Structure formats: C-alpha cells, structure tokens
Amino acid sequence: MATTSGLKRSASPEVARQGESALKRVATTTEIATPLSRRCANHVAALEATPEAVNVAIHVKDVNETEGTKATVTLHDHVAAVPTMKTETQSTAIVQEALAEEVPEHLRQLKGFIINLERRPDRLARCREMLQKETPWLAFEEFKASDGTQNPIPETEVTTTWNTRCNAHFADYFEWVFDAPGTSLDGTPWKWACDTGKKDPDWTFAEDGDEEWTFVHDAGDASGRLGTATKLDTGEVFRVRLQFAQRYVNPGLEQRMSGGERGCAHSHLRMWQLAWERAEPTLVLEDDIQFCFTRSDSSLGESDGCVFTKRLALAMQHAPPDLDVLYLGWSGWRDGHNRHPKSSEDQRPDADRYLRKAEYVWTTVAYVITQAGASKLLAAAIPAINQPVDNFMAWQASQGRLNAYVVLDEGDADTTWCGGIVDQFDFQGDSDITKSDGGHQGDDEKAFAVNSE
C-alpha cells in the first residue's frame, strides 16, 4: 500500500539521481522469490541478547520440508510452525537453531502490522514471504486497510479536500516563468523546474552559468537564476527566470483527496489508535515494503534482513527517550540536510550516525511509532486528518509537535535525498493510490483541483 503523496512535481527518484549519485534504491525482484540462503539467511545477527530472553515469532522455511512433518513450538505468547527432520535429534537441533536467533530487547518488544487492502492478497503474500525469510525474529500480523469502495470513510475522520499551503513550504513548487519586463508575458509560468531535464519535442532549455539548479541541493538559493527557452517550431527565443510558485502557499490550492489517499489516511488513523492501546512501540508496515535493494552507497552491496535488523537495533538503541516516530524509509528534509537550516546543526552527536531528527519527510511505508507518538497524532487528527497522511505527519514534525526521526543506513550522507533501511516494491508501477498533487507517478493534479485555475 504505497502512501507517498510525494512532492509537487517532485524531486522524484529519477530527477534526484541527476543531482546526486545512487539516491533511490531499486528493489531486486529476484530476491523475494529465492529461498533465503545468503548470509544471515538462517542466523539473525547476534545483538546484545541472551537466547533465553528471545520472545519473538519464529518463521523457519526451506529446511527440508519435504523430509519431515511440522512440529509446533510455543515461545511465550507466539507460536510458530517449524519443519522437523526424520529424527528427534535433528528436530531438536533445528528448534534450538531457531531459538538461538538473537535480537536485543528493544527489537523484541516490536510487533509489526502489515496494512493491506483485502482485494490485494498478492501484495500481502509477497510481504509475508519476505518478512518470514528476511526477519524471522519479527512477530507480525495483517492489518486490514480501510477501503472506501466497500465502506465509506467518514468526513469527520478524513476530510475530502486539502490545501497545499503546508506541504508547499517544503515541496518542489519551483517554476521557470517568462522574463519579459514590460510585457503581458512577464511572470507567466513556462515549465516546472523539475521538468526541464525531461525530453521535450517542442522546446529546448539552457540555464545560464555552469551549474544547473536542483531542488535537492539548491532549494534555498533560487534568486537570480536565469535561462533561455527556445521554441523549436518557430525558433523563437525566450528568457526565463526561476521563482517559487507562491500561489501554492498563499492562498494555497484546494485539492480533492483521491479515494486512495483517503483510504490510506484512514488506515493509518486506525493504526495509531491500535498503537496508542499498546504499551510497547509498534512497527507499521505497508504491503509494498522491501528489505532487499541496492543500498544508497552501492559499494556496501545489497541490503537485506540482516542489515535491516542491525541498523534498526542501532537506531532504536540511540533514539531519545521521548521518541514519537522513527521513519525506516524516507525522502526529504532532516538534520544535516534541512530545508530551513538550524544554527545548531554544526553540533553532531554520536547518535547522528544512526538516526537524524526529521524536519519534513515523505513516505509512510515503514515506521516505528510509540504510544506517546500515537497519542500526539490522534490529538492532531481532531477534528480530522486534513491532508494526505505523509504530509500530515511531516507537517506535525516540522512544527515541533511530533518528535520524529529517520533511520540512517551506513551509506546515507547529508546529501542523500532518499534513504533509510527499507525501500518500496515497484513504487512506480504498482500503486493503489492516485496522487492528488501529481506525485512521482505523474498523476494529473488538475483533475483534483476544487477550483480550476
């Protein structure tokens, strides 16, 4: 269930790659169909716990299932089916190996919930298989997503429209406009800044100077940027200048939320209610979560369940006691790369190697939420969630009302735009959610405009 409403005509993974190397990680589909046989396949990294303390669901697959029956092993409140061998000794060895999977206390407290539309059992099956193979220590269950096509979503819980004014403070609403002082053409929009790098059969474009402007790196420095646009069929040459589209902030554009966006927001609202009722942190997973992908620093190789477990353990170990939300996959602004830099950023604590304070980040594909964080989001959702849910959560963080952090992978640098320890599976090709602001998939925002321009 992909939820990223994304940036307005945003620094998409393709666009962001042009500004930095290896930003968005590509999911490796061959991994999920292959028995878990690479490193860490049968042994989760030992991380500061004793075997006796393990209290997790065990999922062991591909262990000579054809040679024996299945025995049931009860581990505290969790039950798992463990394939057995022909002899009692061999069976005991397998069980002991499974029980020896060691994870630290702060991970053993986690329970995962997979948000999944009932009409997409294929996505649930893929996600379930991946979790069983990659993170056999993780207890998880299905959480049925809200589906407005089956049960209407109350407007008292999720509004039907939203205004761009909040998201626009952090998203890519920069555009090239005609620079023709004294004429009616002056200031008329020509093209979004993020679209100038795409092939256009009607126009060519060249920016003045040696370095092209990019949102990811230059959002705070757009003044004085000029360029030349040439219309190919007539040969006409126009001067253009870069500016922020203020109409998206003041007064802001009113957009209708798509059915998918409302369903997604309502699903997370219900998830927060569940998390508020639990004393321990809750792991929220959407059904397009992916653990196997090329890491942001490709020299580190592929990420997998072992990397996920290790980096998550380190991030939670170093997280502050007042943590509300911990994003496991993200794109956007955070300490080290804030949209509105803070003077305190020069002071870098040791924990910054593992997590950073979020300023405004998108995607809700995977996050850990505490009881306190759930309480804050539920309070903020009164009278209703009033924008796509990733925007809603990001805005709360940006205003200091939600203590949110992002997990860093080992190779995530200050210049990294899309990072973390998870990715989204086939994000561009298989999304159940149409984006009312266009998003990365190129949906038509004008189709959702309350008042057409």
Side-chain angles (χ1 to χ4, degrees):
M1 182 174 184
T3 65
T4 307
S5 85
L7 314 180
K8 170 67 185 89
R9 303 190 185 277
S10 66
S12 67
E14 291 73 24
V15 173
R17 272 199 201 94
Q18 299 172 10
E20 59 174 290
S21 63
L23 284 181
K24 181 68 177 177
R25 289 72 48 83
V26 179
T28 54
T29 57
T30 56
E31 293 275 354
I32 63 171
T34 304
L36 188 64
S37 57
R38 62 185 179 276
R39 68 184 178 86
C40 302
N42 295 318
H43 300 281
V44 175
L47 295 172
E48 305 173 354
T50 62
E52 293 78 10
V54 179
N55 180 17
V56 295
I58 298 175
H59 307 279
V60 179
K61 298 180 68 71
D62 304 311
V63 187
N64 295 328
E65 283 192 330
T66 59
E67 295 196 24
T69 58
K70 291 186 177 181
T72 300
V73 178
T74 302
L75 188 58
H76 294 275
D77 295 329
H78 304 288
V79 178
V82 181
T84 65
M85 307 292 277
K86 288 183 176 180
T87 69
E88 183 177 353
T89 301
Q90 290 172 317
S91 177
T92 302
I94 291 176
V95 173
Q96 289 177 341
E97 180 181 14
L99 293 175
E101 307 283 15
E102 296 180 351
V103 292
E105 177 68 23
H106 48 274
L107 286 197
R108 285 188 279 113
Q109 297 173 352
L110 282 180
K111 182 174 182 179
F113 293 85
I114 307 170
I115 301 177
N116 170 256
L117 281 169
E118 202 165 5
R119 53 186 160 88
R120 291 302 306 268
D122 56 318
R123 296 177 69 140
L124 178 62
R126 183 207 66 83
C127 187
R128 187 190 303 275
E129 179 184 10
M130 181 200 66
L131 292 174
Q132 290 173 345
K133 289 180 176 181
E134 298 296 333
T135 50
W137 55 267
L138 177 63
F140 64 86
E141 64 181 64
E142 177 188 6
F143 183 85
K144 294 186 185 302
S146 301
D147 188 345
T149 66
Q150 303 299 316
N151 296 293
I153 295 170
E155 292 184 35
T156 54
E157 296 176 357
V158 180
T159 61
T160 58
T161 63
W162 67 288
N163 191 291
T164 62
R165 69 170 68 91
C166 295
N167 190 49
H169 285 282
F170 297 91
D172 186 1
Y173 286 90
F174 288 88
E175 60 186 351
W176 290 95
V177 302
F178 289 104
D179 186 41
T183 72
S184 60
L185 189 62
D186 188 56
T188 302
W190 171 63
K191 184 177 290 193
W192 290 107
C194 61
D195 290 337
T196 56
K198 301 176 182 178
K199 290 184 179 180
D200 189 329
D202 301 318
W203 293 87
T204 61
F205 171 75
E207 185 175 344
D208 294 358
D210 297 329
E211 296 184 5
E212 292 186 359
W213 183 92
T214 66
F215 173 70
V216 172
H217 298 295
D218 305 311
D221 180 25
S223 61
R225 297 275 184 164
L226 299 170
T228 300
T230 303
K231 192 170 179 58
L232 294 178
D233 61 350
T234 64
E236 292 178 277
V237 177
F238 300 88
R239 293 293 286 168
V240 292
R241 66 178 182 270
L242 184 66
Q243 66 181 34
F244 181 80
Q246 288 291 339
R247 61 189 179 279
Y248 283 86
V249 172
N250 187 16
L253 270 61
E254 286 290 326
Q255 297 288 102
R256 289 188 299 274
M257 268 201 253
S258 71
E261 286 174 327
R262 296 192 70 236
C264 180
H266 195 253
S267 298
H268 283 271
L269 178 66
R270 292 170 43 233
M271 191 71 249
W272 301 337
Q273 179 67 40
L274 185 152
W276 178 75
E277 294 169 354
R278 301 183 71 245
E280 304 299 340
T282 300
L283 176 58
V284 181
L285 303 170
E286 293 176 345
D287 59 10
D288 60 344
I289 183 73
Q290 177 63 294
F291 289 169
C292 303
F293 55 88
T294 302
R295 301 168 77 177
S296 55
D297 181 351
S298 58
S299 68
L300 296 173
E302 297 292 303
S303 192
D304 57 17
C306 179
V307 173
F308 172 86
T309 301
K310 179 180 179 180
R311 297 299 299 186
L312 177 57
L314 288 168
M316 293 192 68
Q317 177 185 337
H318 289 84
D322 59 348
L323 173 74
D324 291 327
V325 168
L326 183 63
Y327 290 95
L328 310 191
W330 46 271
S331 63
W333 310 102
R334 74 287 187 284
D335 273 359
H337 193 193
N338 279 326
R339 175 67 178 85
H340 306 286
K342 302 175 177 62
S343 58
S344 61
E345 283 195 52
D346 291 336
Q347 303 171 6
R348 316 301 297 179
D350 181 65
D352 271 16
R353 292 185 294 167
Y354 311 112
L355 73 166
R356 298 286 179 89
K357 186 71 178 289
E359 181 188 30
Y360 196 103
V361 298
W362 292 267
T363 80
T364 51
V365 65
Y367 59 92
V368 174
I369 184 168
T370 64
Q371 190 178 49
S375 178
K376 290 178 182 180
L377 286 171
L378 288 171
I382 297 173
I385 293 180
N386 60 0
Q387 53 187 313
V389 67
D390 52 349
N391 292 0
F392 179 84
M393 293 176 67
W395 181 250
Q396 297 304 313
S398 73
Q399 300 307 294
R401 296 191 287 262
L402 188 70
N403 200 19
Y405 287 75
V406 300
V407 175
L408 296 188
D409 191 13
E410 184 179 348
D412 290 342
D414 283 353
T415 55
T416 302
W417 179 254
C418 304
I421 55 176
V422 304
D423 202 354
Q424 288 178 269
F425 181 82
D426 198 13
F427 174 58
Q428 298 281 24
D430 185 21
S431 174
D432 292 316
I433 300 175
T434 304
K435 310 302 186 295
S436 59
D437 64 354
H440 293 164
Q441 289 89 343
D443 297 321
D444 184 8
E445 66 156 357
K446 293 181 180 179
F448 295 91
V450 174
N451 297 306
S452 299
E453 293 183 278

